[in-house]
Amino acid sequence: MNVLAVDVGGSHVKCLASGQPVPRAFVSGPALTAAAMVRGVLALARDWRYDGVAIGYPGPVMHGAPVREPYNLGAGWVGFDYAAAFGRPVKVINDAAMQALGSYQGGRMLFLGLGTGLGSALIVDGALEAMELAHLPYRKGRSYEDYVGERGLERLGKKKWRKAVFEVVESLRVAFAPDYVVLGGGNARKLKPKMLPDDVRLGDNANAFLGGFRLWNEPGAARPGEPTSGAGRPAPAAGARAERRPGRRP
């Protein structure tokens, strides 16, 4: 099955279809609506063939649909008919969860997406848990996102921002006890591998597309909530479970 994976971010919308070598993108921003996103993606993907669409959405998703308007984009995302707009079956998942799914290599993994905001997801033995940690209070009346998101980078500068990232990682690592932490998102490139503890890894934005493909159960890839055996290899299962409600521990 050919899949079009769409990664919706606060600064860009990126897309890639199965078998294509290079993603395509356009600028998003605070005025971008769901309808405008679909028009932009259809224009970029007009010469690609795909049977289904996977969308990484920058906000909470329940039962395959956004349940809150995004903080960094325009309105009109909740209640929008994505399948009708694309003319294809569509699966919607939280954007951090989609990149986490593409980054997963087995065990218990905490994913933190360092971009315009802060994305977060936890995968435990193949069961995917999308989380909404970004706007929880952290320090001095500010949220986690205020420290490690784009606004935090601009306010603190790169050196202090890096220190804040490592402090947040340590705080959340104590809370969730993962086997390893993956730092993804566009600003993860501002960190260098030699700076990281042994159990913290840098992700790759391309993993968001892999996660989108995995949503449609490509051979050799785990689906959200599906048990795995070994380092990310799927074990036989009757079917995938739905992405769990943000904020609930597995």
Side-chain angles (χ1 to χ4, degrees):
M1 177 180 186
N2 286 336
V3 176
L4 177 65
V6 181
D7 184 15
V8 180
S11 58
H12 291 85
V13 174
K14 294 166 282 188
C15 61
L16 183 70
S18 304
Q20 297 297 324
V22 180
R24 297 172 181 175
F26 64 91
V27 175
S28 56
L32 186 75
T33 64
M37 179 275 291
V38 173
R39 289 194 299 269
V41 170
L42 288 175
L44 289 182
R46 59 188 177 274
D47 59 333
W48 288 347
R49 296 183 60 186
Y50 51 95
D51 307 299
V53 181
I55 299 175
Y57 174 75
V61 174
M62 290 181 62
H63 308 299
V67 294
R68 191 173 66 207
E69 298 291 343
Y71 279 93
N72 300 304
L73 301 174
W77 298 80
V78 176
F80 186 82
D81 192 338
Y82 295 92
F86 275 104
R88 306 281 198 288
V90 174
K91 294 185 179 183
V92 182
I93 187 174
N94 172 265
D95 60 341
M98 191 164 85
Q99 190 170 156
L101 187 60
S103 304
Y104 184 62
Q105 295 180 336
R108 185 180 183 96
M109 182 195 77
L110 174 64
F111 175 86
L112 299 175
L114 306 174
T116 305
L118 171 67
S120 53
L122 185 70
I123 303 181
V124 180
D125 295 333
L128 172 63
E129 183 85 16
M131 299 187 294
E132 289 292 316
L133 302 178
H135 303 287
L136 295 179
Y138 178 51
R139 288 180 179 173
K140 300 179 181 179
R142 298 181 185 271
S143 67
Y144 283 100
E145 181 173 283
D146 289 330
Y147 276 87
V148 300
E150 188 69 34
R151 290 189 300 272
L153 177 60
E154 293 172 356
R155 177 172 57 88
L156 298 172
K158 187 184 293 186
K159 184 175 180 180
K160 290 184 178 179
W161 175 82
R162 285 171 170 167
K163 184 174 183 290
V165 168
F166 296 139
E167 289 173 347
V168 166
V169 167
E170 183 59 29
S171 173
L172 296 177
R173 185 164 54 181
V174 170
F176 294 103
D179 298 322
Y180 57 102
V181 179
V182 174
L183 301 178
N187 284 332
R189 63 178 180 271
K190 293 179 170 61
L191 303 170
K192 298 179 181 179
K194 65 181 180 182
M195 300 176 174
L196 305 178
D198 290 342
D199 56 351
V200 179
R201 311 170 187 174
L202 291 182
D204 190 316
N205 280 348
N207 287 340
F209 302 125
L210 176 58
F213 300 154
R214 286 179 169 180
L215 279 179
W216 287 95
N217 195 31
E218 284 197 336
R223 290 178 285 181
E226 189 174 69
T228 61
S229 59
R233 296 188 302 273
R241 288 173 286 169
E243 179 185 351
R244 295 182 180 180
R245 180 175 301 178
R248 292 180 59 194
R249 294 290 300 275

